[in-house]
Each structure stands twice: as structure tokens, then as C-alpha cells.
Amino acid sequence: MTILSSIKIGETLPLVELAPVSRIDLIKYAGASGDYNPIHTIDEEAHKLGLPGVIAHGMWTMGNVSKLFSDHYEEGFIKEYTVRFKGMVFLDVVITLMAEVSEKQDDLLHFKVFAVNQNQKKVIEGKLKFQLF
């Protein structure tokens, strides 16, 4: 496990590869988040908007990025997190999560974070600040 207090600019956290996106993942997320937009769960509704099928909630993908830091919550916490959504995530897509240290300010680590699909296309790009204790 990487110890964040000793990580250097340009270093990365271990990649996290998610299981292929399933419809049940999106149904569960809809229930947890209250976002029942049917384009996330019903193919016919997604087709009406010209989509090839259901798409994952952007916030589902964004929330998963925090898994990169799960092993580090004894060292600190996510203080700030922003993303830009770069692409849609469809069923059965495998998402890989990445984080690279871009800056260190005393006990505050700045990361560039990404989520890419199995074709290496970015679906999320963002910045995250991790505050060490």
C-alpha cells in the first residue's frame, strides 16, 4: 500500500478496475441517489433520446473514483473534488480509475483523477485534494 505522506509529485496510486457496469448497479444507484431518470435503467427510454442503451449516472462514475482513496482514510480525507464528464458509460463497460499526484502543499495533496473505459477513452477527468491528518 502506498503511504500518502511519502508520495511524490508525478507518482500514481494503484489503479482500480471496476467490474463491468451492470443494470443492477444502476438500479441500486437510482434508489440510493433518488435519480430515477429512466435513461439510466430502461433501454426503451434511452433509445427515445437516440442513445444505444442505458447510460450510467455520471455521479455513479464520479462516486466510484473515491475508491482510489479507500485504503487511505486512516491517513486523511478527501477535502475537495471536482470533475468534468468526458464521455458516456454504457452497460458492460469496464472502467479503470486513476490518480496522479500533481502538487503537494504541506499536508494537502493535489491529484489529477481519471476514469477511462476499456478503450482508454476518458469518461471523467478531474482534480481532487486529499488532506492528510
Side-chain angles (χ1 to χ4, degrees):
M1 178 174 93
T2 306
I3 304 298
L4 291 184
S5 60
S6 62
I7 199 166
K8 295 177 178 36
I9 293 173
E11 290 185 332
T12 60
L13 296 180
L15 301 178
V16 172
E17 185 176 288
L18 303 178
V21 178
S22 70
R23 190 177 309 270
I24 196 68
D25 290 334
L26 304 183
I27 291 169
K28 287 178 181 178
Y29 185 81
S33 69
D35 182 350
Y36 295 103
N37 186 326
I39 66 169
H40 300 305
T41 55
I42 303 170
D43 288 309
E44 294 75 23
E45 294 300 317
H47 292 152
K48 287 178 187 176
L49 294 178
L51 298 168
V54 300
I55 59 171
H57 306 73
M59 297 302 285
W60 176 86
T61 310
M62 182 181 178
N64 273 297
V65 171
S66 67
K67 290 179 179 179
L68 287 161
F69 298 88
S70 295
D71 290 339
H72 303 288
Y73 292 132
E74 291 181 3
E75 298 176 72
F77 59 94
I78 295 173
K79 183 174 184 172
E80 193 174 310
Y81 178 29
T82 59
V83 300
R84 293 188 72 83
F85 299 103
K86 306 292 275 181
M88 289 184 258
V89 175
F90 297 97
L91 293 180
D92 301 318
V93 166
V94 175
I95 299 295
T96 301
L97 311 171
M98 300 176 251
E100 177 184 332
V101 180
S102 59
E103 187 180 340
K104 289 180 79 170
Q105 296 175 317
D106 300 318
D107 291 334
L108 186 63
L109 303 174
H110 297 248
F111 287 87
K112 292 186 278 185
V113 293
F114 308 94
V116 299
N117 65 22
Q118 67 265 22
N119 299 320
Q120 300 307 305
K121 182 178 184 292
K122 288 180 186 172
V123 295
I124 279 186
E125 181 175 62
K127 296 177 182 179
L128 184 146
K129 294 179 184 178
F130 192 90
Q131 180 69 58
L132 297 170
F133 294 129

